[in-house]
Amino acid sequence: MNQPPGSVRSAQELVREEILALDAYQVHDARDMVKLDAMENPYPLPASVAATIGAAASALALNRYPDPAALDLRQTLRSTQNIPADAAIMFGNGSDELIQIIAMALAKPEAVLMSVEPSFVMYRRIACYTRMRFVGVPLNSDFSLDFQRLHDSIEEHAPAALFLAYPNNPTGNLFDREALLRIVDENPGLTVLDEAYHPFAQSTFMDDLLEHPNLLVMRTLSKLGLASLRLGFLVGAEGWLSQFEKVRLPYNVGAFPQMAAASALSDNEALKKQAKAIRDDRDAMVRQLRERAITAFDSDANFILFRVPRAREIFLALKARRVLIKDLSPTHPMLENCLRVTIGTPDENRRFLIALDESLREAV
Ligand SMILES: *Cc1c(COP(=O)(O)O)cnc(C)c1O
């Protein structure tokens, strides 16, 4: 390793400027904390599912590469998820990977990846990773869709892909269905509706796929209660997915996630019950926040966005009380003084509210 002096080039020199400028994606250490920051399901895996997975795990041929087509999982999805028979399915290592695959395939020079703002941060980050030009179209101040503005931006920028989260993260709301369908029809590019929070929303675009050939629906098992599996799926026209399949790395979804996801989805009554409990607790939490004269935004997801004076102080005071939520203030001007709390177990929710009351008194 004897290099002549001056020949070693540093990361600073070789890494792309836009990557140097990025902050690393932040994950807080949440050991021994009430963890309400990442939209995880707080409940353990239902016992019957855990038993099935445990038994099947020992029979997995871990010496072999996983089934590249994930046929068992594919079949389970088709029999449990109301996927139109003519639509194709593609799997990702989380839906984050699917966003990245779509972007890699569409990243012609100057191609635009569009979304609304504030929304899911990975759309912007992945546009950066893949050298797409990101255009974020502001929402209205109540976080509803600014239809005219989105319409005009689509005309101006002709995005290769438009990503819209339904419900939106971090705001929690569902955009108007009819407005979204008009946008899908007007957008000459691809529209991807990201239904990551589908288990908590009573609305989907899955049934609209066949009438809208440039529409794809993306989902994940992460928010349902299987975040650790890293499994997302994309549904839509074969013409799109067959191109994206070429960009997908072989064996991107391991044998264990394939088997565990198939087991969980074919025995999903208990998971559905957990989602229902989370929805009910969410609605109760919105009421409880509003009773405290806190601005809490309507949510169709498993989290609530709320606004308090001095959000940073409140966030830190909660953290000092071992309750971890998310401070969104620094992420976008429209989210000034906004915090986001994930719905936990009833006990966790209670502890959050007690800590919040103490923190609000402390921060005055
Ligand atoms: C959490 C989230 C995802 C990412 O999910 P993974 O499948 O865990 O990668 C995608 N989209 C939105 C809007 C999310 O909130």
Side-chain angles (χ1 to χ4, degrees):
M1 296 299 282
N2 276 334
Q3 305 248 8
S7 72
V8 175
R9 301 170 76 191
S10 68
Q12 287 295 319
E13 188 187 347
L14 287 176
V15 171
R16 284 157 49 197
E17 276 168 34
E18 61 270 31
I19 304 297
L20 290 174
L22 279 179
D23 293 322
Y25 186 86
Q26 271 217 354
V27 179
H28 280 272
D29 182 3
R31 274 172 297 184
D32 308 321
M33 295 190 86
V34 178
K35 188 175 186 313
L36 303 176
D37 66 326
M39 282 78 87
E40 292 148 329
N41 174 341
Y43 299 105
L45 200 59
S48 65
V49 179
T52 309
I53 292 175
S58 59
L60 283 178
L62 292 180
N63 55 320
R64 303 290 179 194
Y65 282 108
D67 174 4
L71 287 175
D72 286 348
L73 176 58
R74 203 172 284 270
Q75 206 164 23
T76 306
L77 226 55
R78 289 212 182 268
S79 60
T80 59
Q81 301 290 300
N82 293 318
I83 292 171
D86 291 343
I89 305 173
M90 175 177 178
F91 295 104
N93 194 286
S95 42
D96 286 348
E97 189 192 38
L98 292 167
I99 303 168
Q100 181 174 267
I101 287 171
I102 295 168
M104 284 193 291
L106 298 178
K108 293 187 183 183
E110 298 306 308
V112 166
L113 189 158
M114 183 177 282
S115 187
V116 290
E117 283 193 317
S119 188
F120 187 45
V121 293
M122 290 313 292
Y123 305 143
R124 176 191 283 277
R125 289 184 74 96
I126 287 171
C128 171
Y129 304 159
T130 58
R131 299 198 146 168
M132 289 190 85
R133 188 158 67 83
F134 182 79
V135 175
V137 183
L139 295 170
N140 292 316
S141 59
D142 65 354
F143 304 125
S144 61
L145 205 64
D146 186 339
F147 180 84
Q148 193 58 44
R149 205 159 173 175
L150 186 54
H151 166 93
D152 293 347
S153 302
I154 289 172
E155 253 183 22
E156 184 185 344
H157 298 284
L162 169 65
F163 283 85
L164 294 166
Y166 183 84
N168 192 33
N169 172 17
T171 58
N173 56 314
L174 288 170
F175 299 131
D176 182 76
R177 250 192 92 79
E178 295 311 312
L180 279 186
L181 284 172
R182 277 173 63 197
I183 290 293
V184 169
D185 285 333
E186 287 179 9
N187 180 16
L190 180 65
T191 303
V192 182
L193 292 176
D194 179 349
E195 297 187 348
Y197 298 95
H198 172 69
F200 315 102
Q202 309 307 92
S203 183
T204 174
F205 284 86
M206 199 61 97
D207 303 327
D208 300 283
L209 282 174
L210 292 181
E211 282 166 46
H212 304 274
N214 271 17
L215 173 64
L216 301 179
V217 168
M218 189 170 67
R219 290 199 189 155
T220 174
L221 301 192
S222 294
K223 315 299 161 48
L224 177 67
L226 300 161
S228 209
L229 291 186
R230 306 303 300 131
L231 192 88
F233 58 98
L234 188 64
V235 184
E238 174 70 27
W240 285 107
L241 268 53
S242 60
Q243 297 302 325
F244 298 152
E245 284 285 354
K246 300 177 190 171
V247 181
R248 183 175 67 81
L249 293 176
Y251 314 120
N252 62 326
V253 178
F256 183 82
Q258 289 186 30
M259 175 277 287
S263 304
L265 290 177
S266 41
D267 178 14
N268 66 355
E269 282 311 309
L271 281 172
K272 279 189 189 161
K273 270 192 196 142
Q274 291 180 350
K276 169 79 169 79
I278 291 168
R279 289 203 303 271
D280 292 344
D281 292 346
R282 168 197 72 203
D283 294 343
M285 174 88 85
V286 168
R287 287 194 296 274
Q288 286 165 313
L289 290 169
R290 288 178 182 164
E291 278 162 15
R292 289 160 166 80
I294 290 170
T295 305
F297 295 91
D298 288 329
S299 172
D300 283 284
N302 63 343
F303 60 86
I304 298 166
L305 184 76
F306 62 102
R307 184 171 269 141
V308 286
R310 302 190 223 202
R312 186 72 197 164
E313 278 177 57
I314 302 292
F315 168 77
L316 291 172
L318 283 166
K319 205 171 160 194
R321 288 173 173 77
R322 315 300 299 157
V323 176
L324 184 64
I325 64 169
K326 176 88 180 170
D327 179 13
L328 287 154
S329 304
T331 64
H332 195 275
M334 286 172 72
L335 295 173
E336 194 182 0
N337 280 323
C338 282
L339 302 174
R340 184 189 67 199
V341 62
T342 304
I343 302 304
T345 63
D347 181 55
E348 289 173 326
N349 298 335
R350 223 170 0 252
R351 287 164 68 184
F352 159 70
L353 284 170
I354 291 168
L356 180 65
D357 286 334
E358 291 173 4
S359 305
L360 285 167
R361 279 197 294 274
E362 190 178 280
V364 290

